Amino acid sequence: MKNILKLFILSTILTLSSCEEFLDKTPLDDVSETAFYSTPSDLQAAVNGFYNDLPGWAATSVGFNILPDMYSDIGVAQEPSSRISGLSYTVPTSASASVWSFDEVRETNWLIDHLDQASGDETLINQYSGEAYFFRAYYYFELLKRYGDLPIFPEYFDNTDEEYVYAARSPRNEVADFIISDLDTAISLMQSFPDVATSRISKEVALLMKARVALYEGTWEKYHSGTDFGVSGYDGSEFLQIAADASEDLIDSGVFSLHSDYKSLFNQVGYSGNSEVLLSRDYNSIVLGINNVLQQSWPNRCGYTKFAVDSYLCTDGDPISVSSLYQGNTDLSTIEINRDPRLAATIMVPGDLVEIKSDGTEVYWENPNFSSTDTGLTGYESEKYRNVSFDGNYDDFTEDTSRIIMRYGEALLIFAEAKAELGTITQGDLDKSINLLRARVNMPNITLGAITVDPNWPNYGYSLSSILYEVRRERTVELMAEGFRADDLYRWRAHTLFDNDQPRGAYLNDGIVGVELDASNVTLDEDGFILPFASTGIYNFDESKAYLQPIPLDELVLNPNLTQNPGW
């Protein structure tokens, strides 16, 4: 559903994706203002269209929906990420070939500049006004992650205002300050859950977004310090403190709590009443006529990597490198034994339930599908997000599995990471954050001063404290396939993890893949593990430039005050 703003003025909207086009377009303020924004309902209709830009399942008519994080080191899709792998990653010549666009920022600015026209229920006006500020922050954060320094546009402007048309880029920390200021405004205006449903932005959603932004910028500045991507004179500690405080405010509010069962959290149709979900996106393909097929074509042309699977601890709380409980990784039928239960909730192994048919018949998974090069990929197919119940509306699996956008578990992880990065984390901090996540799946607590050294801790290119290694591990397994991994790699400056290497999948033997394997579709490394991208060679991430995306060449010509990102 598009909002009034997008329905009536989209054809005249100004775009900074091309200054040449910008100068030829009709200003938004030529549109009559009196017909819009006079009531709370008008504001609601105006902000509704922005919800379409939140993360969701990709609409597809062929039955494949590649899961989040499948273009990183923990998951792979049909092709490797061009940015991470270094393959075919070049400077675009025009904005149309990139995501350098301020269209959405300008739309939110237009709305924000007209909020004071509305009269009526003040609570509702404040709610929808807060949502407008939230979305401007959201759009800016997406641009910050891609490009770093950005021009800041705090208000709507027309094509005669050269101060904005030819604006220079502000330092990324100032952009982050601007984003957080918008989120503070949103927090001050919006209502709390449950007065706001999980399908709508609430005060708590804005608070979690504030923590997310601050953690990203704080760790970026810390780990990119002294490089061309850092901020001179800043170490990120200010933002890390903001992240710790914002996430703790959400925790201490008591509004949300962890859902009782990790596995069932991700395969629900609707999240009304779920204690953990702050914000979600629902689907109804029959009513809306949208083919959001998530479940029908597993493994959805994607799979987890060996690194992802090896990250899960054993049930004694020790890593697989030292635990006597570890059963090895050469047989899928035993790989989940004595392991963190989140692994069993994430990957498929023989005997896992695939489908409950309409007559009650149960179908079980036997082995990965390697019938063609774009199916099995790694052999580690996803259990996460599977809804096995037959849906009579589709005569198959449901197409309406909801997508979680924000959940309380992330707040716990942000709090622990921010405090650990600051060097101020206590046992009490762990007990109110990460240890709650572990308790949900019956895993042992983390105890400061008693963390088992893992000889195979990930090589980030630098050393960390024991608690930071484990906090990062916890984030990796708890948020597996939820869309955070690539951003984490960039903000941690973690290219050493994957550069000059390539992802691996499961160990190949008859016990894993069964006798019907078409082995011609699988390439193995020297140890017998699947190489899904053997034909592309090793990854060649260029740390001198690939941490940020390049600004299109025509933008640099049209606006001489813009500068290119490092290395490009």
Side-chain angles (χ1 to χ4, degrees), residues 356-383:
I356 302 175
K357 294 183 176 295
S358 57
D359 62 2
T361 301
E362 295 182 346
V363 180
Y364 295 92
W365 194 85
E366 296 179 358
N367 52 260
N369 178 4
F370 289 99
S371 59
S372 65
T373 57
D374 62 1
T375 53
L377 292 174
T378 68
Y380 294 128
E381 297 182 14
S382 188
E383 172 87 351

Side-chain angles (χ1 to χ4, degrees), residues 306 309-310 326-337 339 343 347-351 365-368 379-380 505-514 528-529:
K306 180 179 181 293
V309 173
D310 288 349
Y326 182 49
Q327 300 292 304
N329 58 8
T330 59
D331 194 330
L332 276 180
S333 64
T334 60
I335 200 169
E336 293 176 354
I337 295 176
R339 301 289 295 280
L343 178 60
I347 68 167
M348 297 294 288
V349 299
W365 194 85
E366 296 179 358
N367 52 260
Y380 294 128
Y507 183 84
L508 183 65
N509 73 354
D510 288 342
I512 286 184
V513 300
F529 292 92

Side-chain angles (χ1 to χ4, degrees), residues 83 146-149 172-173 217 220-232 490 493 495 541-549 565-568:
R83 186 173 173 187
R146 295 181 178 111
Y147 297 105
D149 299 351
R172 61 175 299 130
N173 60 316
E217 184 59 24
W220 182 284
E221 291 181 13
K222 179 175 181 176
Y223 290 102
H224 288 276
S225 177
T227 74
D228 290 338
F229 303 102
V231 182
S232 179
Y490 298 139
R493 196 170 179 264
H495 61 272
F541 182 86
D542 189 343
E543 67 269 24
S544 70
K545 62 182 182 180
Y547 275 109
L548 292 175
Q549 297 183 30
N565 272 327
W568 295 104

Side-chain angles (χ1 to χ4, degrees), residues 197-215:
T198 57
S199 60
R200 199 146 201 111
I201 308 296
S202 65
K203 182 189 297 289
E204 290 75 26
V205 168
L207 193 58
L208 180 52
M209 178 60 78
K210 178 181 177 180
R212 181 188 291 183
V213 171
L215 180 71

